Amino acid sequence: MDRAVLAVSGRDAQRFLQDLVTNEIETMGQEAVYAALLSPQGKYLFDFFVLRDGLGFWIDVKADWAAALVQRLMMYRLRADVKIEESGVQVAQILGERPDGARVVADPRHVGLGWRLYGDSSVELDEAVRVSLAVPETGIELIADESYILEAGFERLNGVSFKKGCYVGQEVTARMKHKTELRKGLVRVRVSGPVSVGTAVLAGGVEVGTLYSNAGGYGLAQLRLERAVGVLRAGEADVELDPI
């Protein structure tokens, strides 16, 4: 898989992560937690999985984004006793029955995503499975400094806690949850044919959103929900709302 696993260690590692990321770290057990790191303005920067590793933690992040994530985390380290380094661990995504392995955890986003196996092998998830379950991908549906995690479905994907204390971007996220109705959102759609990522979705000739990943007859579209009515088109393909 195109993943990197960062090792976070040190006396202050748990408090450090707890104060930064969108999900609960202090009370997590031995399973994986899905979470994000946001900007102070509440916009998405990174998404990843967090696992305990002895007295420290692993952060399972898209490989191309690992160096930038380390740089961002170091901005917040200040004088905390925290060390961040590459672990060399590889990640495999396995569907079906729980595989054998030294460290296997259920993918916390959706039961249909199976298991994440940490070791010395790398196996990719079928793109059509991810799209059919309306799971956004780093750098495609999840766009740094642009996406908001609630619009991307993080509540449904168990990627945010509304009970923990403050974290970076928490105020904006909480306000979106409790004080506003989401007008935009990432939704699953049926697509009649292949469409390039980033193609505009039109309703009656008016742009109402963008189609991103599409595979196996499904697609993920970021839409202005109140405007996405009637006949929808993306390029030469018909688009039909199909909420999960």
Side-chain angles (χ1 to χ4, degrees), residues 38-204:
L38 308 180
S39 72
Q41 295 76 33
K43 293 186 177 182
Y44 163 90
L45 294 177
F46 304 92
D47 67 305
F48 40 77
F49 302 89
V50 182
L51 301 86
R52 290 190 182 276
D53 176 42
L55 298 178
F57 297 86
W58 284 345
I59 295 180
D60 166 3
V61 64
K62 195 170 182 69
D64 291 346
W65 293 51
L69 175 58
V70 172
Q71 184 177 27
R72 189 77 180 193
L73 291 173
M74 295 296 284
M75 288 174 50
Y76 290 107
R77 189 183 66 166
L78 301 177
R79 296 184 179 181
D81 180 11
V82 174
K83 183 178 181 180
I84 307 169
E85 57 188 346
E86 286 269 5
S87 70
V89 174
Q90 296 187 58
V91 186
Q93 187 95 27
I94 308 295
L95 300 180
E97 295 185 3
R98 184 186 181 103
D100 294 329
R103 190 69 190 275
V104 179
V105 297
D107 191 309
R109 297 171 296 177
H110 193 287
V111 65
L113 291 173
W115 310 91
R116 301 183 76 80
L117 170 63
Y118 294 87
D120 57 5
S121 64
S122 177
V123 180
E124 291 284 354
L125 178 69
D126 184 348
E127 177 81 348
V129 174
R130 177 183 71 81
V131 174
S132 71
L133 297 175
V135 176
E137 176 62 34
T138 307
I140 303 178
E141 291 83 21
L142 294 171
I143 304 171
D145 284 314
E146 182 175 324
S147 299
Y148 288 99
I149 61 170
L150 296 191
E151 293 180 347
F154 264 61
E155 186 172 6
R156 172 176 56 83
L157 298 169
N158 305 309
V160 57
S161 170
F162 296 104
K163 296 181 179 180
K164 66 174 287 186
C166 291
Y167 55 85
V168 178
Q170 183 264 348
E171 182 177 351
V172 174
T173 305
R175 187 165 62 246
M176 291 182 70
K177 165 67 174 176
H178 298 295
K179 295 186 177 181
T180 63
E181 181 177 350
L182 294 180
R183 297 183 178 181
K184 295 191 299 181
L186 187 71
V187 298
R188 185 178 69 178
V189 295
R190 290 278 188 176
V191 186
S192 65
V195 182
S196 298
V197 171
T199 298
V201 178
L202 306 179

